């Protein structure tokens, strides 16, 4: 039992460390650093950048309750990990709620970016593509092999 508690604690600590690191990157990306689609928006021409940031801000505002629900689920998971007897079912459920909230917000942000890109110029889409490419990592071009 003690071993399970240690394992669960390590898993949650890794999860929380990742969340903190992700939050730090997200804060930085708001200042046009990083290589995500959101960060790439900081390199758009001024007028497009303003529209882009407003669109993402609106999604976060509209998703406030989902964000709060995810935060509450993470707090519940942390509380469960500190109980003398670990309820793995409840812990799994809390972590699933947190994950679902994160996915919901991400899907909403990505959909708004798609809508922005659809109305954007080729130059604006190119800037966003560069951010996406950098985020995914530059892959070497695949050269087709000649058949023998």
């Amino acid at each position: 039992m003690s071993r399970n508690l240690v394992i669960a604690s390590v898993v949650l600590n890794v999860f929380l460390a990742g969340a903190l690191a992700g939050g730090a990157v997200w804060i930085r990306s708001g200042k046009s650093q990083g290589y995500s689609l959101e960060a790439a928006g900081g390199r758009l021409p001024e007028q497009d950048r303003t529209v882009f940031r407003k669109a993402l801000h609106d999604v976060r505002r509209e998703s406030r309750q989902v964000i709060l629900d995810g935060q509450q689920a993470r707090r519940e998971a942390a509380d469960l990990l500190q109980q003398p007897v670990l309820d793995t079912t409840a812990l799994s459920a809390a972590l699933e709620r947190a994950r679902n909230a994160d996915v919901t917000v991400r899907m909403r942000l990505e959909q708004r970016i798609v809508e922005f890109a659809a109305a954007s110029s080729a130059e604006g889409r190119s800037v966003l593509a560069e951010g996406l490419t950098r985020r995914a990592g530059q892959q070497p071009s695949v050269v087709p092999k000649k058949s023998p």
Side-chain angles (χ1 to χ4, degrees):
M1 179 171 131
S2 178
R3 182 173 180 254
N4 288 339
L5 185 59
V6 169
I7 290 170
S9 178
V10 168
V11 169
L12 184 63
N13 282 324
V14 168
F15 176 77
L16 292 174
L20 288 173
V25 169
W26 180 76
I27 288 170
R28 285 181 165 206
S29 72
K31 297 177 181 164
S32 301
Q33 298 174 1
Y35 298 109
S36 67
L37 274 170
E38 290 182 64
R43 292 185 288 278
L44 289 166
E46 180 64 35
Q47 183 177 0
D48 288 345
R49 184 172 50 237
T50 301
V51 172
F52 185 80
R53 286 183 176 159
K54 182 186 180 318
L56 297 186
H57 175 75
D58 289 348
V59 170
R60 289 188 185 97
R61 184 179 38 77
E62 293 161 6
S63 301
R64 179 167 168 65
Q65 189 57 53
V66 175
I67 293 167
L68 292 173
D69 292 345
Q71 291 170 346
Q72 178 61 34
R74 281 186 278 286
R75 283 191 295 273
E76 288 174 23
D79 289 343
L80 287 165
L81 284 170
Q82 297 198 3
Q83 297 302 312
V85 176
L86 180 63
D87 182 346
T88 57
T89 303
L91 176 61
S92 292
L95 291 173
E96 182 177 3
R97 285 193 317 275
R99 182 177 53 252
N100 288 340
D102 293 344
V103 168
T104 298
V105 173
R106 180 176 175 162
M107 286 180 1
R108 289 176 181 181
L109 285 168
E110 289 174 351
Q111 182 56 43
R112 193 64 57 95
I113 291 170
V114 167
E115 293 165 5
F116 174 84
S120 188
S121 66
E123 177 190 357
R125 290 192 309 274
S126 178
V127 168
L128 293 176
E130 180 183 330
L132 188 60
T133 302
R134 286 186 178 180
R135 175 69 175 198
Q138 288 284 13
Q139 301 296 322
S141 298
V142 176
V143 179
K145 294 182 179 180
K146 294 181 182 178
S147 31

